[in-house]
Amino acid sequence: MEQVRVYNALAAYDQAINLEPDETSYYVAASQLWVTQDQPQRAQDLLHQGLSKVADPVALYSTLSTVQLQQGQPEKALESLTQGVGELGESTDMFLAMGDYFVNRGNFDQVKEQFDRALESQPDVADVHAALGDLYILMEEPEEAIDQYRKAIAIDPATPGHYLALGDAFQASGSQSQALEAYRQAMTTAPTLIDSYLDLANIYQALGDWTDATEVLDKGLAVAPASGELYIQYAT
């Protein structure tokens, strides 16, 4: 029955692509379904088909390289991304996609080079600074990560994920008080974001401050009463 549903979905995406051949999301979603059916070549063929039809093919190049990596084809994956960079020129999103490729390969020097190229192209993109912050965390350089997350927040203060990442970086640097403040900022920015309540409660519990931990979890349950994660955290 499940396989019937998948093939019905694939047929629906095929029809949608015929009706709207320039819609990127159809190619991405359908290719991912083909991968789940152990037909990666069908996925790659579909993505190649979309490259000549969509206005902004960044997501297609990125998905194509991911599929190729999953199939043990790193050279083809890099070739796809290089083609994307060549076609789109100074595209921040393509540099980010190229950086993600090198993250998967464990080549952090190349990751930083790609992210630096993205910043040269567009220095005021919060996602690039956040990606650099993530890289520095992988490289175990939390102070550098903190600097990048702060830059991301300065550009885009409305995204709660930047505050959560900043809090994680402060924790990695050993600054619990500043981590608490960052998680509070995330909670203020997006009051329904469960992760901020969990992160705050974790720190309070680690500090042995059960009163504040309970208060935070109560606030979280007030806005998200159906959250199993908050109940589990409460019990521990």
Side-chain angles (χ1 to χ4, degrees), residues 80-199:
S80 295
L81 291 172
T82 302
Q83 180 183 341
V85 171
E87 178 183 334
L88 300 174
E90 299 297 301
S91 165
T92 298
D93 288 335
M94 278 309 308
F95 290 137
L96 287 174
M98 186 77 86
D100 288 341
Y101 165 85
F102 286 116
V103 167
N104 289 323
R105 304 294 292 164
N107 189 334
F108 294 156
D109 288 340
Q110 278 287 347
V111 177
K112 189 172 184 308
E113 180 179 326
Q114 296 303 320
F115 290 167
D116 284 343
R117 290 177 71 187
L119 283 177
E120 288 173 9
S121 173
Q122 288 183 278
D124 295 326
V125 177
D127 286 347
V128 180
H129 290 288
L132 264 172
D134 295 344
L135 172 63
Y136 283 123
I137 289 295
L138 288 174
M139 296 172 67
E140 299 182 353
E141 298 181 26
E143 296 298 335
E144 295 288 347
I146 288 167
D147 181 55
Q148 292 300 325
Y149 292 137
R150 281 175 165 161
K151 288 178 179 177
I153 289 168
I155 296 167
D156 178 19
T159 296
H162 298 331
Y163 297 101
L164 292 177
L166 179 62
D168 292 345
F170 277 128
Q171 281 213 77
S173 72
S175 180
Q176 301 282 41
S177 61
Q178 288 179 293
L180 284 169
E181 181 56 33
Y183 294 144
R184 290 192 194 101
Q185 286 288 337
M187 192 166 60
T188 301
T189 304
T192 59
L193 183 65
I194 294 170
D195 286 349
S196 58
Y197 297 97
L198 292 170
D199 288 338

Side-chain angles (χ1 to χ4, degrees), residues 24-36:
T24 303
S25 63
Y26 298 155
Y27 297 96
V28 172
S31 68
Q32 291 170 341
L33 277 178
W34 279 121
V35 169
T36 68

